[in-house]
């Protein structure tokens, strides 16, 4: 390809189709921008706009109040002594693993861990040992599994794992394990615990101190109404000097952050949304109630929610035999569901999935959720008649 | 601090003061968004919006044309066999260093290297050996310096450096070393060369193949009219499998990218600006002419441009004795200049600097540059009269 004008015409501004749909995509329900964030995005969109105010360390900027945000508000919000901005949950996890482990060390992951936890460990040259869940249908994690796995690692390699990780909740079933017990078990073996809160910080109240977590990874674009890539890394005092060690040659710069991370509009959208994000976490019980209600309603249609039940999170996984049956004979095959939902302006169930899918009810509200339930029913009825 | 309403009021939407000023901040002149990018930012601002179209590998998305952009247009644009998106130039450099070096290996950096090159090496646990420049006033880099430094490393550690890096141009003086010769020298010793093009890709024509560079690091928010953090990593075939190695457990995911990187609006702004970015690199000779003309004009006022002369880049470093003289007696001390420029709606010279500063003439245009020159003169005259 040579860069002639015809080829270049494919680029430029491109519209985003589904932007005004009812969105039940688990990746997206917590990341939709607030009005303030949308304004901030335009205001601060130019490259390095935030750097106008920087004296060498981004998170020390006083005006706009980045310092207060990162060093006062966020630590309070998630319950860690220190917080830094990162590009996302995976980058936070990598930063911890790269700091805490040496090549060849082991990290213990829960069996439901997101792929990015595996890949982060691989990037840091760490071995992985898993704590398996109970499997279908609840996929529960027994905190005692961490004890067994830690002992296994110690026996095998002669030293304890450098780190344990728990996905809270996991990204498939939306299960919330007993994180406090997991932390207690890990600490009995002096193994620090990283809590992957990609799906929790910004949605529900999280207090790392209460749980006993040593590290928190959070995701701005997933759960804090921020324009990505942006995330948080929370670290308790004990490990702050390790993870946030400074460069010997450039004394102000933190090595693990490569000096600075979120040097763009994303940070200003996170700050813009923050008051509303704090507020919404106070209404988490309503979100859980909505999720449970939704789950009950669609189970009446023949769908089956797997994972913890009653459920404690907006992210849910459903087995969907009625849709699978339809897909066997429907004209559009397994894409029928995607098309039917699209027609009804409902977005977020991966095209082609009919045997099972996950979805999120977060911030969708009862009215729209009712509409989704009715649409499911309508689609099932429509094909039953055919 | 507890997160009460009063404290939260500090956050939310915050205005950006200097957003409509004439901007000569080297960090910013190449990162100002195009109109298309501004539209794209709003359209794709929500967290993970691009992931609607993802089958597991972000850069393989066909619609919008991410695949064509990343795998066809960008390789053509910078002259590398492979390109991937990253969060910025520093993240690209770290990815190369983390892949190419083992802890304890050495990387050779030019003496003008940006701090982030040092910090990236430190994060990857690599030793650093520098090729010093000729120093004041031209700060030239002799390509033969790379031979001497490579030999020094080999003698000292028993093995050649894992990588050499050249900052092209450097971020202080805007000097463009003879990159082709540096590449030739490095290759004589079988040492691969990473070219840090944070200040070149997106501003001026860059062809890694012609130069002989094995890796290119580029910065979207600095030089490609993109909303950051976003950058490019270009890699020639020989090293692509090393840098872009796949996860053994998650076969589609590239370890060094943690699966994916720029999962947000930044990518869509880069695509939006790309046609105009390609176009502007074709007018690089005009930009160089403007820089030289500006340099001549302000030298007539007593400023002294250091670094290569005549200059070959819009980023320039000036010693500024007339301003320094004024600062000794001016009421506002060394902040007088910042205030005088602010009054005149000129933005981008760091507050408090009067002995020397850097600035960029990129895309500012002759009219605005004239206005800046006149303003400098006016300010000097004004204080001469006092
Ligand atoms: C459980 C879980 N953790 C982490 C991530 C990655 O989040 P980020 O994009 O912030 O790295 C995801 C993304 O889907 C996830 O589901
Ligand atoms: C020469 C040089 N390289 C790299 C960088 C960092 O670029 P990025 O923000 O894309 O990591 C800078 C930033 O000022 C720079 O001046």
């Amino acid at each position: 390809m040579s860069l002639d004008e015809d080829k270049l015409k494919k680029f430029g501004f491109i519209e985003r189709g589904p932007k005004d749909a009812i969105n039940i995509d688990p990746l997206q329900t917590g990341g939709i921008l607030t009005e303030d964030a949308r304004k901030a995005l335009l205001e601060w969109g130019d490259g390095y706009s935030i750097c106008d105010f920087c004296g060498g360390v981004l998170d020390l900027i006083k005006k706009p109040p980045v310092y207060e945000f990162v060093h006062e508000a966020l630590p309070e919000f998630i319950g860690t002594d220190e917080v830094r901005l990162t590009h996302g949950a995976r980058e936070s996890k990598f930063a911890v693993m790269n700091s805490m482990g040496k090549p060849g060390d082991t990290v213990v992951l829960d069996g439901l861990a997101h792929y990015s936890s595996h890949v982060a460990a691989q990037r840091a040259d760490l071995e992985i040992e898993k704590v398996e869940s109970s499997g279908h249908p609840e996929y529960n994690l027994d905190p005692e599994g961490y004890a067994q796995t830690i002992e296994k690692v110690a026996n095998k390699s002669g030293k304890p794992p450098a780190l344990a990780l728990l996905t809270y909740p996991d990204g498939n079933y939306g299960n919330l394990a007993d994180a406090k017990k997991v932390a207690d078990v890990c600490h009995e073996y002096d193994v620090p615990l990283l809590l992957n809160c990609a799906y929790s910080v910004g949605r529900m109240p999280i207090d790392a101190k209460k749980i006993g977590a040593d590290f928190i990874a959070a995701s701005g674009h997933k759960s804090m109404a921020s324009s990505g890539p942006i995330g948080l890394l929370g670290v308790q005092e004990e490990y702050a000097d390790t993870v946030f060690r400074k460069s010997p040659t450039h004394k102000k710069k933190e090595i693990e952050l490569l000096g600075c991370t979120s040097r763009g509009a994303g940070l200003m959208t996170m700050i813009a949304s923050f008051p509303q994000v704090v507020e919404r976490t106070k209404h988490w019980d309503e979100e859980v109630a909505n999720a449970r209600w939704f789950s009950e309603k669609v189970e009446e249609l023949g769908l089956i929610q797997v994972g913890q039940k009653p459920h404690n999170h907006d992210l849910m996984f459903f087995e969907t035999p009625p849709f699978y049956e339809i897909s066997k004979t429907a004209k559009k095959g397994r894409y029928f569901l995607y098309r039917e939902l699209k027609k009804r302006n409902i977005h977020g169930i991966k095209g082609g999935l009919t045997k099972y899918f996950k979805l999120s009810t977060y911030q969708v509200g009862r009215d729209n959720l009712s509409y989704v339930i009715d649409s499911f029913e309508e689609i099932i009825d429509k094909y039953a008649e055919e």
Side-chain angles (χ1 to χ4, degrees), chain A residues 107-113 118 128-132 145 149 152:
Chain A
V107 54
V108 171
L109 303 182
D110 58 288
L112 306 178
H118 289 262
I128 292 166
E129 201 68 58
K130 285 198 282 187
V131 181
E132 295 299 346
T149 308
K152 184 173 154 192

Side-chain angles (χ1 to χ4, degrees), chain A residues 308-369:
Chain A
Q308 287 174 337
K309 237 166 148 174
H311 208 58
N312 303 306
H313 195 275
D314 59 274
L315 168 59
M316 290 176 288
F317 188 103
F318 292 95
E319 291 170 355
T320 54
F323 293 129
Y324 183 55
E325 284 310 310
I326 295 171
S327 75
K328 289 179 182 167
T329 56
K331 252 208 220 121
K332 313 273 180 188
R334 60 198 184 87
Y335 281 88
F336 87 95
L337 181 61
Y338 179 75
R339 285 164 199 251
E340 292 287 353
L341 292 172
K342 192 171 171 181
K343 251 195 278 179
R344 290 169 175 81
N345 202 31
I346 296 169
H347 175 76
I349 289 176
K350 258 203 159 35
L353 290 186
T354 57
K355 256 189 176 163
Y356 51 79
F357 49 68
K358 43 184 187 169
L359 55 76
S360 159
T361 54
Y362 194 62
Q363 300 270 300
V364 181
R366 284 265 169 143
D367 286 354
N368 282 336
L369 289 177

Side-chain angles (χ1 to χ4, degrees), chain A residues 108-127:
Chain A
V108 171
L109 303 182
D110 58 288
L112 306 178
H114 190 245
Y115 86 81
S116 62
S117 301
H118 289 262
V119 174
Q122 291 159 359
R123 191 183 190 193
D125 262 330
L126 305 182
E127 305 294 323

Side-chain angles (χ1 to χ4, degrees), chain A residues 36 88 92 102 146 151 189 224 231 274 282 297 305-306 326 340 385:
Chain A
D36 270 1
S92 299
K102 287 187 208 7
Y146 277 81
E151 288 186 11
Y189 294 89
M224 299 180 74
F274 188 64
K282 294 181 187 158
K297 288 288 178 193
Q305 188 230 311
V306 300
I326 295 171
E340 292 287 353
E385 282 163 21

Side-chain angles (χ1 to χ4, degrees), chain A residues 48-64 66-67 246 250-254 259-260 263 267:
Chain A
Y48 284 118
S49 58
I50 184 71
C51 306
D52 284 342
F53 308 94
C54 186
V57 183
L58 183 108
D59 54 55
L60 300 184
I61 293 174
K62 284 277 166 70
K63 227 183 116 185
V66 181
Y67 176 86
K246 298 227 166 64
H250 299 77
K251 306 280 180 202
K252 289 177 172 181
K253 309 289 185 182
E254 290 170 343
C260 68
R263 49 207 182 281
L267 166 59

